[in-house]
Amino acid sequence: MPTSLPEPDLRGHTVLALHAHPDDESIFTGITLRRLADAGARTVLVMATAGELGESRVPLRPGETVPERRVAELERSAELLGVSRLVLLGRRDSGAPGGPASTHHRALALGDPLQLARRVAEIGDEEGACALLHDDEHGVYGHPDHRTAFRIGAAATDLLGITGYGVTVDREYLHLSEGGPHLVHGAAAWAAVPYGRATCEIALAVTGDQAHLACKRAAITAHASQLDESDVPVEGFADTYGYEWFRRRGRAGPGVLDALGNAHLFATA
Ligand SMILES: [Zn+2]
């Protein structure tokens, strides 16, 4: 892990990031969002749900609901990651396939992806966005909401005619990593699905220095209703969480993620 990295100048560029649940932004794209902000880019985080089904592991205030707590945690995470604007799409966590929440009328997985993509594209249009980060075709690990986030993100990318970066994890890297389990391991076990991609399917890996890593860890642990600091121990954090992986749709651009400097590590997927 390098001690410091020269940042490209991304002033004047805007990047949209679409995620399914509060905490996904920090776990899968925390370093990337922080580095984009540090490089001067404007970042807009679009959150599809408020993670309604994530039971709180800490007591809530009287009258406080899980989504209220999770949105407050998301706001803190976004602040730590230098996000310029946070937009809530207002859909609801779909939970496990076949579970009671999967048929809720606001369940993200039941939403019309094209209609939601038009909303995301409107935001991208008014922001003049040059790139959109969203889940890859597998939804990183297959959660129905993450798969829907892919369909929304891919359609919005097409509507905007910009470069799309599909968020995933490198399962070969994580298998060999000595840093301990990644949160995606638990999530994939919960969903009983495989996760991530083979290294050769990944176009771009973004890494960061110690400050970016500390920032990512602080953003993850801002979601204190969902996880304890001991779930992401400092020891091994750089190994397990020090890279963020993307598949690319559209051309590589100097004003987008490719400028963060790690594209040379991997062949184009
Ligand atoms: Zn999620």
Side-chain angles (χ1 to χ4, degrees):
M1 196 63 47
T3 51
S4 66
L5 291 168
E7 292 295 358
D9 184 356
L10 297 182
R11 284 174 295 181
H13 295 282
T14 299
V15 175
L16 245 59
L18 168 69
H19 282 290
H21 313 113
D23 73 10
D24 292 325
E25 81 294 343
S26 58
I27 296 166
F28 298 113
T29 59
I31 293 171
T32 304
L33 289 172
R34 183 65 257 175
R35 284 194 59 202
L36 285 166
D38 289 348
R42 178 174 168 81
T43 55
V44 179
L45 174 58
V46 182
M47 190 56 68
T49 79
E52 286 80 356
L53 299 189
E55 272 177 42
S56 182
R57 43 171 298 284
V58 295
L60 299 177
R61 285 189 298 278
E64 188 184 32
T65 64
V66 165
E68 283 167 359
R69 171 62 69 99
R70 295 202 67 181
V71 168
E73 291 170 346
L74 173 63
E75 286 168 350
R76 175 66 184 141
S77 168
E79 186 183 329
L80 287 163
L81 299 176
V83 168
S84 308
R85 178 185 171 196
L86 173 62
V87 182
L88 303 175
L89 273 191
R91 299 299 298 190
R92 192 174 188 274
D93 195 334
S94 310
S102 64
T103 54
H104 190 281
H105 71 281
R106 282 198 297 115
L108 175 58
L110 289 185
D112 176 354
L114 194 55
Q115 191 182 4
L116 292 163
R118 283 196 202 98
R119 171 82 184 106
V120 174
E122 273 172 27
I123 298 163
D125 203 30
E126 75 191 41
E127 292 282 353
C130 62
L132 173 58
L133 281 55
H134 59 79
D135 285 78
D136 80 334
E137 296 89 327
H138 294 174
V140 187
Y141 65 92
H143 187 292
D145 286 341
H146 285 250
R147 287 181 179 274
T148 304
F150 161 72
R151 290 195 284 275
I152 297 168
T157 303
D158 287 346
L159 287 168
L160 289 162
I162 60 177
T163 305
Y165 291 90
V167 178
T168 186
V169 295
D170 183 336
R171 65 167 168 260
E172 294 179 68
Y173 171 87
L174 288 179
H175 183 67
L176 295 172
S177 165
E178 293 175 354
H182 189 288
L183 288 165
V184 78
H185 289 121
W190 171 84
V193 291
Y195 67 90
R197 295 278 184 171
T199 305
C200 67
E201 296 178 289
I202 292 167
L204 180 69
V206 172
T207 188
D209 60 25
Q210 293 302 333
H212 301 130
L213 278 165
C215 196
K216 173 172 180 166
R217 187 168 180 276
I220 293 174
T221 57
H223 298 280
S225 72
Q226 302 301 305
L227 52 84
D228 186 78
E229 295 218 4
S230 64
D231 294 326
V232 283
V234 172
E235 191 183 344
F237 189 82
D239 275 332
T240 304
Y241 295 98
Y243 290 97
E244 293 171 352
W245 297 276
F246 301 92
R247 287 160 62 76
R248 184 177 54 236
R249 226 155 46 87
R251 66 189 178 87
V256 284
L257 266 63
D258 301 83
L260 295 182
N262 313 104
H264 64 280
L265 290 174
F266 292 85
T268 299

